[in-house]
Amino acid sequence: GLIILMTVLIIALTGNKGNDKSSSSFSGSNGANYQDYLEVPQTPTAPTGAYEIVDHQSLDDLKSSVAIYKHKKSGMEIVTMIPSDPYHDATFGINFRTPTEQDDGVQYVVGKSILAGSVNYPVKDPFNQLKRGSLQTYSDSWTERDRTSFVMSSRNLADFRNNLMVTIDAIFNPLFVDGKYKWIYRQEGWRLESPDNVHLLING
């Protein structure tokens, strides 16, 4: 953006001086013409043979290409959205159906326990550790009535991949499922209540 701004200022100050080039000649730092940002990207093929493409669509209003892939072995569906502007935040989100049969907060406790360390990142709170030195623009998780979601994003591709590895490991290799770390679940699964605003009771 700074390069484009400087180009505009130079042309304005020099009055084009006989060089009558149209605005279509402007290009970004990556060599892309501004028209490239107005064209919908091509739909990519399946990343590996383990996936098959289910559907794809071009969204002209958003200048983006959307595709749905299916993991052949597990049946997991993956939705990708590729914008024409390469400077958009790279965003990853994973959602699990977590319907509840009773109002005991188990889904919320599990979601919090997942964020308390994983096999490859065995620290107390890897996500807060990341925030101290990461370039991420967003990171959060939440539990709703019927699903649990984990989302993160970054504008730096290397940083995005690093955050992605930590997130994936936390979700699929959490420490709390190991008997040695059962204290993690117990730690997240209780709370203090005061029914009479005088006495504290442990509930969980």
Side-chain angles (χ1 to χ4, degrees):
L2 181 59
I3 293 174
I4 294 176
L5 177 61
M6 290 174 63
T7 305
V8 172
L9 289 174
I10 291 171
I11 292 176
L13 291 174
T14 58
N16 275 339
K17 290 190 176 180
N19 187 12
D20 187 16
K21 290 185 179 180
S22 65
S23 60
S24 62
S25 64
F26 292 169
S27 61
S29 58
N30 63 351
N33 189 285
Y34 87 96
Q35 288 289 348
D36 296 337
Y37 296 92
L38 304 179
E39 297 178 1
V40 176
Q42 295 291 325
T43 301
T45 57
T48 67
Y51 297 86
E52 61 180 352
I53 188 165
V54 177
D55 195 11
H56 65 88
Q57 183 177 0
S58 296
L59 303 179
D60 293 333
D61 290 345
L62 298 178
K63 305 302 178 190
S64 302
S65 177
V66 177
I68 301 175
Y69 303 97
K70 186 176 183 180
H71 187 246
K72 296 177 182 178
K73 188 174 182 179
S74 66
M76 178 179 64
E77 289 189 343
I78 300 174
V79 180
T80 64
M81 180 175 178
I82 303 176
S84 58
D85 185 352
Y87 297 108
H88 271 301
D89 289 18
T91 302
F92 169 81
I94 185 167
N95 304 281
F96 297 92
R97 289 184 58 81
T98 53
T100 182
E101 296 181 356
Q102 53 188 353
D103 189 19
D104 55 7
V106 169
Q107 291 82 357
Y108 179 81
V109 174
V110 170
K112 288 297 183 181
S113 299
I114 285 174
L115 303 178
S118 62
V119 172
N120 293 312
Y121 304 95
V123 295
K124 184 178 180 181
D125 192 345
F127 292 91
N128 274 332
Q129 295 287 342
L130 272 177
K131 289 179 180 179
R132 295 178 182 177
S134 172
L135 299 173
Q136 63 180 234
T137 54
Y138 186 80
S139 177
D140 200 2
S141 64
W142 58 86
T143 301
E144 299 185 46
R145 182 176 301 176
D146 61 347
R147 66 184 181 273
T148 301
S149 305
F150 302 86
V151 180
M152 52 76 50
S153 62
S154 178
R155 292 187 179 181
N156 182 283
L157 188 56
D159 182 65
F160 172 77
R161 289 172 176 167
N162 184 44
N163 280 268
L164 180 60
M165 287 191 295
V166 175
T167 303
I168 291 293
D169 197 64
I171 294 170
F172 293 105
N173 293 309
L175 289 178
F176 82 96
V177 298
D178 189 331
K180 294 188 301 181
Y181 299 96
K182 58 184 179 182
W183 58 267
I184 293 177
Y185 186 83
R186 292 176 177 175
Q187 168 186 276
E188 299 293 340
W190 67 274
R191 64 186 181 275
L192 292 174
E193 294 183 349
S194 180
D196 56 4
N197 291 327
V198 176
H199 301 90
L200 287 176
L201 302 176
I202 295 178
N203 193 0

